[in-house]
Amino acid sequence: MEEVDTTQAEVTTSPPPAGGRWVRHPSPKEYVRIAVILAMVTAAEVAIYYIEAARDLLIPLLFLFAFIKFALVVLWFMHLRFDSRTYARFFVLGLAGAITLYIAVLLMFRTFAT
Amino acid sequence: MQEQAAIHVFESEHEATSTGLPNVKLAMWLFLASDVLLFGALITSYVVYRGRSVVGPYPNDVFDIPFTSVSSFVLLASSLTMVLALASVQRGDLPRMRLWLLATALLGLAFVGGQVYEFTTFYEEGLTLTTNVFGTTFYVLTGFHGTHVAIGILMLLSLFSLSFGGRITQRNSMTVEIVGLYWHFVDIVWIVIFTVVYLIPTGP
């Protein structure tokens, strides 16, 4: 990890090697930090599955945890937080299409009806 | 926080394009957007038929949550090793990149192995593709995901072997990044499957 900090100091003050450019990405330390958070959220997901007292809140909590994990992977590991917004637009378009399809089919099959 | 978290890494120049973005990376994001729709349809099918099986085995009869939780941790860990491989190639450290790529492929293999074990167990417990609507939607959804993981493993092993012939270097590190995008996508799909299919309780 230390050698990365050294690299960071070098790269931010020097021109890039020929045939390339510098782009901003998370550091390896930050990748490890995100992975630890992901592991903790997954552990929390599994834990609340077994907690009887949390039954009423189980589904909202599971969706919240899944959303947090999804966002962390997409924003940091897939670099959408750092890359061009064009990539994000394409991905969000696909995601919006999938969510629309999901809701439309569930409504059609009256899945929400009691 | 972003300032502290981010570092500058080397990215190879790409051909001139009308968007100013590398076509190959844009194409991968477009592919991922279309794949989101595919998995959206498969997850929707699973949810629509959730609890509508008239014969067992039902989800609660076959699911082994502790086992699947370990598989989830394995796949999450593989996303970490994948980004570490990318960080390594971006700073020109090829030996470490190979190590992380191999670790990612092995973790992927462990995940697929777990899925094969799970499918075998379910089959022995009487759940086949045609037993009930749960079996059909479950095997199709998780089978498609497993196939994606298997393709990802082949891509990782290809990168690993290409790196020995000098085909993967710091100058074309974007190749590793693009395979990484695919690999992380497989991970986020599993995040949704693990929650929707395994953890949200269902009746028969």
Side-chain angles (χ1 to χ4, degrees), chain B residues 174-193:
Chain B
M174 195 178 288
T175 311
V176 179
E177 187 175 0
I178 283 162
V179 172
L181 285 176
Y182 176 85
W183 192 259
H184 300 309
F185 174 75
V186 165
D187 191 13
I188 57 173
V189 170
W190 183 255
I191 287 171
V192 177
I193 291 176

Side-chain angles (χ1 to χ4, degrees), chain B residues 12-193:
Chain B
S12 49
E13 287 290 356
H14 55 83
E15 72 286 4
T17 61
S18 57
T19 57
L21 301 169
N23 282 339
V24 67
K25 194 166 167 183
L26 200 59
M28 177 49 86
W29 275 108
L30 267 171
F31 166 72
L32 296 183
S34 68
D35 228 17
V36 165
L37 287 168
L38 168 75
F39 279 105
L42 294 173
I43 291 168
T44 303
S45 303
Y46 180 85
V47 174
V48 162
Y49 291 110
R50 172 195 290 272
R52 296 193 184 201
S53 294
V54 289
V55 293
Y58 304 110
N60 295 340
D61 300 330
V62 290
F63 283 166
D64 181 352
I65 299 299
F67 180 82
T68 315
S69 303
V70 172
S71 292
S72 298
F73 278 112
V74 167
L75 204 58
L76 281 175
S78 76
S79 262
L80 172 64
T81 54
M82 185 70 235
V83 283
L84 292 177
L86 175 63
S88 300
V89 70
Q90 282 174 330
R91 61 169 188 269
D93 186 349
L94 293 185
R96 202 164 287 185
M97 177 205 70
R98 290 188 192 107
L99 188 74
W100 289 126
L101 281 179
L102 202 59
T104 310
L106 288 174
L107 287 166
L109 272 172
F111 178 84
V112 173
Q115 200 168 34
V116 169
Y117 170 78
E118 187 184 49
F119 280 15
T120 309
T121 309
F122 290 1
Y123 183 80
E124 285 169 357
E125 289 178 22
L127 185 72
T128 68
L129 193 65
T130 54
T131 303
N132 53 24
V133 286
F134 161 60
T136 306
T137 52
F138 171 80
Y139 281 124
V140 171
L141 170 58
T142 53
F144 259 100
H145 179 265
T147 307
H148 274 69
V149 178
I151 292 169
I153 293 167
L154 290 177
M155 290 160 83
L156 290 167
L157 293 176
S158 301
L159 286 182
F160 180 75
S161 46
L162 286 172
S163 72
F164 287 102
R167 305 269 299 273
I168 302 294
T169 61
Q170 188 185 32
R171 290 198 184 283
N172 58 9
S173 59
M174 195 178 288
T175 311
V176 179
E177 187 175 0
I178 283 162
V179 172
L181 285 176
Y182 176 85
W183 192 259
H184 300 309
F185 174 75
V186 165
D187 191 13
I188 57 173
V189 170
W190 183 255
I191 287 171
V192 177
I193 291 176

